[in-house]
Amino acid sequence: MRKIPRRKFIQLSAAAAAGCIVVGGRTSYASDLPQLSEDDPMAQSMKYTHDASSVDASSRTNPAADQTCANCALVQGNDGDEWRPCQIFPGKVVNAAGWCSVWAAKT
Ligand code: SF4
């Protein structure tokens, strides 16, 4: 299981609480950001999909059928939002029902 360093977790929590992220010195709100495309080369390299249920759990790095972006330690923004910023894909938002191979459990 992958863990997030305490310092990074605190930084992510602060950003999530604020409902915003800072990209390139500019504060961005989730609603301003473009949605990550499944065709994006970085998304493809991380096996990102908008629909986690479409992924065979046996092919996952940490096999568990209930892994989604909404319960990943790297997601930011507000609980309940359909599209949320993610630390792995700066400047884009990912689907809360999505998944990628970097998924990490919240600690
Ligand atoms: Fe979703 Fe987590 Fe992957 Fe970001 S790192 S795309 S929140 S599973």
Side-chain angles (χ1 to χ4, degrees):
M1 181 177 298
R2 184 174 168 193
K3 293 191 173 185
I4 306 257
R6 179 182 166 88
R7 183 179 193 150
K8 180 57 78 179
F9 178 76
I10 291 169
Q11 290 171 338
L12 292 172
S13 297
C20 64
I21 61 171
V22 177
V23 178
R26 177 179 168 265
T27 301
S28 297
Y29 294 88
S31 58
D32 297 337
L33 299 173
Q35 296 175 0
L36 177 66
S37 169
E38 292 175 329
D39 296 329
D40 180 291
M42 177 95 166
Q44 289 185 333
S45 71
M46 302 294 181
K47 301 179 181 175
Y48 171 80
T49 176
H50 296 318
D51 180 8
S53 69
S54 67
V55 181
D56 179 359
S58 68
S59 70
R60 297 181 185 205
T61 308
N62 297 310
D66 59 353
Q67 295 174 2
T68 66
C69 293
N71 62 25
C72 175
L74 301 170
V75 78
Q76 300 173 306
N78 300 316
D79 286 343
D81 286 355
E82 181 179 7
W83 293 90
R84 299 173 64 178
C86 166
Q87 182 187 3
I88 299 300
F89 301 104
K92 305 273 176 69
V93 287
V94 299
N95 195 298
W99 178 87
C100 87
S101 60
V102 183
W103 184 93
K106 292 181 180 178
T107 55

